[in-house]
Amino acid sequence: MTITVEDLQFYAAERMTDNADGGGQMSSAAIVSGASNQIFDDISDVDRAVGDASIRKVYAAVISANTDKYLDAGVVIFREPADPSTSVLAFSTGSYYDERDALKTRIEQTISRGARWNGWLWGQHLTGQRVAVLWQRPQEQLPSSGQRLELVAKAGTVEQYSQFLWITRITESLRTRYDDSGAYQVREVVCELAEPLNAAFTGPEPTRADPVVSTQQSLMYDTRYNAEAVPLHGI
């Protein structure tokens, strides 16, 4: 008995949500071809204004009653979304059990730490903030919109935790500071973030000379894209 197109079916995961436990094992709920909101929710006005990343897990299955082999199976994205502000990528972890937090971690593994960035976090930043204030020398290159930096919290020489910052918008200005030797300038860089800070970070106040790296409570790093970590497939 030949395997037909009707025998090829997508199934939803246990929890089709963007909560931390979204995903999970395959359910018995078939995804209906051509029906709206079978995988993703509608894009809300808030998501359209500030951006959002939605991760959903689906399963492909052959539901024929026989044991014929289905060779060269694959999943392909053929068309772009009609909304020009929306993009879709597909990837596989090979797991039948992982949830959204694990999927998110796998995606983030495509970004790795690079060289230390020529700038510093400015002052105390609290959990939940969506803005990071940095300072740097006026002659240094500014971060750009869309750039990702890694912010690392330290206790002495021990790294405690870190977070990748996705910068969506920056504003900058020159600030004049004073010390015993007189006036000097630093550049203040206000970075709006795609995601809020998930922990508290504290950076040094601006100084005429660069702070001693080994004594800082937080450090900034540039990032590199590692395409081999998790292959992401578009059209």
Side-chain angles (χ1 to χ4, degrees):
M1 181 177 175
T2 303
I3 296 174
T4 66
V5 173
E6 286 72 25
D7 296 324
L8 309 180
Q9 182 67 61
F10 283 104
Y11 286 90
E14 289 178 286
R15 294 170 293 277
M16 297 293 284
T17 70
D18 276 319
N19 298 330
D21 65 349
Q25 300 181 67
M26 183 171 69
S27 73
S28 60
I31 293 174
V32 179
S33 178
S36 298
N37 305 124
Q38 292 291 290
I39 300 177
F40 296 105
D41 296 330
D42 288 333
I43 300 174
S44 69
D45 291 340
V46 173
D47 290 345
R48 191 174 300 282
V50 302
D52 182 56
S54 185
I55 306 173
R56 299 298 167 88
K57 187 176 182 182
V58 297
Y59 290 86
V62 179
I63 58 174
S64 62
N66 57 54
T67 58
D68 287 348
K69 292 181 179 180
Y70 184 53
L71 304 177
D72 299 325
V75 175
V76 179
I77 300 174
F78 279 113
R79 289 190 299 173
E80 294 181 349
D83 187 338
S85 299
T86 303
S87 60
V88 179
L89 295 172
F91 70 100
S92 173
T93 64
S95 171
Y96 289 90
Y97 304 99
D98 50 9
E99 297 176 341
R100 189 186 190 279
D101 263 8
L103 299 173
K104 177 175 175 286
T105 299
R106 287 295 300 274
I107 295 174
E108 289 175 344
Q109 288 172 352
T110 60
I111 305 296
S112 60
R113 184 181 301 177
R116 194 176 66 80
W117 185 69
N118 291 318
W120 310 86
L121 189 70
W122 189 337
Q124 186 179 36
H125 287 63
L126 304 178
T127 303
Q129 283 189 211
R130 297 192 73 111
V131 170
V133 181
L134 318 177
W135 67 272
Q136 61 183 75
R137 302 300 171 200
Q139 68 272 17
E140 299 293 347
Q141 182 177 355
L142 288 166
S144 59
S145 177
Q147 185 172 352
R148 295 174 188 260
L149 297 174
E150 185 180 11
L151 179 57
V152 180
K154 300 185 68 179
T157 59
V158 178
E159 183 176 318
Q160 293 183 300
Y161 47 84
S162 68
Q163 180 176 349
F164 288 103
L165 308 181
W166 184 359
I167 300 172
T168 58
R169 183 173 180 266
I170 71 163
T171 55
E172 55 87 16
S173 60
L174 284 175
R175 297 283 296 272
T176 301
R177 308 277 293 183
Y178 297 90
D179 60 13
D180 294 340
S181 299
Y184 64 95
Q185 286 189 319
V186 297
R187 190 179 299 278
E188 179 185 43
V189 186
V190 179
C191 301
E192 297 180 18
L193 308 176
E195 294 183 333
L197 295 179
N198 55 26
F201 296 87
T202 302
E205 289 293 314
T207 53
R208 184 183 296 273
D210 281 348
V212 178
V213 172
S214 61
T215 63
Q216 299 312 306
Q217 294 178 268
S218 64
L219 295 174
M220 301 288 299
Y221 291 88
D222 205 347
T223 59
R224 300 187 180 97
Y225 176 62
N226 179 15
E228 300 302 319
V230 183
L232 302 175
H233 305 282
I235 298 174

